[in-house]
Amino acid sequence: MLPIHTQTQNPPYRIVEIFESLQGEGYNTGMPAVFIRLGKCNLACSWCDTDYLTFNMMSLQDIVGRLKSYTARNIIITGGEPTIQPHLDILLDALKTEGYTLCIETNGLNPAPPQIDFVAASPKACYAEKYEKQCIATADEVRIVADGDVLAFCERMEHKIRAKHYYLSPCEQNGEMNIYDTIRQIGLLNSRPNATVHWQLSVQTHKWAGIE
């Protein structure tokens, strides 16, 4: 049974895609999961690989019904930017009622909803000024894309976002990843004499495996 809400019991959502696969990056790499990719974003990174402006409207009941065709019990709410989705709390309540474990991938400008079990925050260095004004305070992991010299931004995010794990990811543009520069910056971060966290490499292994 879907949770009752005073405004609507079956709101529509901007759905880019729903699919079952393995988590390809970060701490949960390899975890079976159903991905719910939501449309629209409050940022516009030039290297983003998601067409978050192409979506269909899908009702809550249709989403929950669709999930029953999959076997994974972990759900990754991603985007675009999930935290700007209208009625997100109703969707998350419904998924918790169904017994799913909920993960969210967010750019970290807005707080994560309380229903979420695992928060992957990916602050964007190209919007560093926004993170000085508002930023998520805690996360399970922080993933930053190395879209240039991001050392100062990484150090700032260490203080702004308290997390269990910190990752630096290569930036892919025109089919090429700046893997050398990424691991170089990881080395510089971890060799600081006053380093308080340990940075690791996170790559999109699902692309190497040829899966979505």
Side-chain angles (χ1 to χ4, degrees):
M1 178 179 294
L2 299 177
I4 296 175
H5 190 268
T6 56
Q7 295 180 354
T8 177
Q9 292 178 276
N10 192 32
Y13 295 89
R14 302 183 292 248
I15 301 296
V16 175
E17 58 184 343
I18 299 176
F19 62 96
E20 186 172 23
S21 187
L22 303 178
Q23 170 62 284
E25 54 192 320
Y27 181 77
N28 289 319
T29 293
M31 180 184 75
V34 178
F35 291 75
I36 300 178
R37 189 178 301 283
L38 300 171
K40 294 196 176 181
C41 189
N42 52 356
L43 299 178
C45 303
S46 61
W47 41 262
C48 182
D49 59 1
T50 298
D51 185 7
Y52 52 79
L53 293 179
T54 300
F55 54 83
N56 295 306
M57 301 307 296
M58 194 170 180
S59 73
L60 174 62
Q61 290 181 346
D62 286 343
I63 294 171
V64 173
R66 173 81 170 273
L67 295 175
K68 294 185 184 301
S69 66
Y70 301 120
T71 59
R73 301 301 297 170
N74 304 297
I75 292 182
I76 297 176
I77 310 293
T78 186
E81 175 49 44
T83 62
I84 66 171
Q85 184 77 203
H87 310 299
L88 181 62
D89 58 331
I90 302 176
L91 172 62
L92 299 180
D93 284 342
L95 299 180
K96 293 301 286 186
T97 298
E98 294 292 329
Y100 290 105
T101 298
L102 303 182
C103 309
I104 194 170
E105 296 182 333
T106 172
N107 59 35
L109 285 174
N110 300 322
Q115 300 95 328
I116 297 297
D117 300 295
F118 188 95
V119 178
S122 182
K124 305 301 190 287
C126 51
Y127 286 96
E129 70 284 353
K130 289 184 177 291
Y131 291 90
E132 289 301 319
K133 297 176 182 178
Q134 64 181 58
C135 184
I136 195 171
T138 61
D140 291 283
E141 70 179 26
V142 167
R143 287 191 235 136
I144 294 177
V145 174
D147 57 348
D149 183 350
V150 297
L151 292 173
F153 184 70
C154 288
E155 291 191 39
R156 187 64 181 143
M157 291 301 101
E158 290 177 352
H159 297 288
K160 297 276 286 185
I161 307 175
R162 178 169 295 184
K164 300 173 185 176
H165 311 280
Y166 293 83
Y167 296 95
L168 202 58
S169 301
C171 183
E172 182 176 351
Q173 296 188 79
N174 302 317
E176 294 188 4
M177 288 191 296
N178 60 338
I179 187 69
Y180 176 84
D181 188 56
T182 301
I183 60 176
R184 179 188 65 83
Q185 293 192 67
I186 290 175
L188 291 172
L189 286 167
N190 290 334
S191 63
R192 293 170 297 164
N194 61 339
T196 57
V197 303
H198 181 77
W199 288 82
Q200 302 176 75
L201 175 67
S202 176
V203 295
Q204 293 180 313
T205 59
H206 51 284
K207 293 184 177 180
W208 291 356
I211 59 176
E212 192 170 7

